């Protein structure tokens, strides 16, 4: 495409597009070919992926983590009960930690406790 406009890779500041592997590979592949031919540009061509796609991926990962945290909360609630709590006290001196949704520290404490 650059040749159609009488340009070379030294005129490219960045490439913007969606984050599909084809676009990322294209930037890497074209960059290598163009550098070999032009020889004037050093370093990689920055690839700026789609911000809304990155946000969507982040929300999906947070949602998945939230589902895991909800599952851990259910386990902790069951262990908090009188019957299961007594069985737990027979095995360990650790007690269940229940999450307080308004405090992130309680969520972290709950996760650390289930891992121990």
């Amino acid at each position: 495409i650059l040749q159609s406009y009488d340009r070379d890779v030294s005129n490219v500041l960045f490439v913007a597009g969606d984050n599909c592997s084809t676009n990322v590979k294209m930037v890497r592949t074209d960059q290598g070919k163009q550098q070999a031919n032009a020889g004037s540009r050093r370093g990689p061509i920055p690839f700026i992926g789609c911000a809304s796609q990155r946000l969507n991926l982040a929300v999906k990962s947070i949602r998945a983590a939230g589902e895991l945290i909800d599952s851990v909360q259910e386990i902790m609630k069951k262990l908090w009960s009188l019957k299961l709590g007594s069985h737990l006290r027979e095995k360990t001196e650790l007690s269940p930690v229940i999450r307080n949704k308004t405090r992130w520290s309680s969520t972290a404490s709950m996760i650390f406790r289930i891992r121990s």
Side-chain angles (χ1 to χ4, degrees):
I1 294 177
L2 293 174
Q3 294 168 351
S4 301
Y5 297 100
D6 295 324
R7 302 284 183 222
D8 64 10
V9 74
S10 66
N11 299 112
V12 178
L13 298 176
F14 61 90
V15 174
D18 65 1
N19 299 326
C20 72
S21 59
T22 304
N23 285 343
V24 174
K25 186 174 180 179
M26 175 203 57
V27 170
R28 291 182 184 152
T29 304
D30 284 351
Q31 170 195 335
K33 289 178 185 174
Q34 295 290 342
Q35 282 181 349
N37 294 336
S40 60
R41 183 176 179 99
R42 291 187 179 166
I45 299 171
F47 177 72
I48 301 173
C50 179
S52 64
Q53 186 181 16
R54 286 193 309 269
L55 177 62
N56 186 26
L57 293 172
V59 168
K60 282 183 181 179
S61 69
I62 289 170
R63 187 178 301 149
E67 291 170 3
L68 176 63
I69 290 171
D70 291 342
S71 299
V72 171
Q73 174 74 355
E74 289 303 313
I75 292 169
M76 289 294 186
K77 280 183 180 178
K78 288 179 182 178
L79 291 173
W80 191 264
S81 71
L82 191 58
K83 185 175 181 179
L84 291 178
S86 67
H87 291 300
L88 182 64
R89 284 188 294 279
E90 290 173 3
K91 303 288 182 189
T92 181
E93 58 187 44
L94 297 175
S95 61
V97 175
I98 303 295
R99 175 178 58 160
N100 178 347
K101 287 189 177 185
T102 61
R103 304 201 192 290
W104 275 103
S105 61
S106 67
T107 302
S109 297
M110 181 181 68
I111 298 298
F112 290 136
R113 179 58 52 93
I114 202 154
R115 291 184 72 200
S116 56

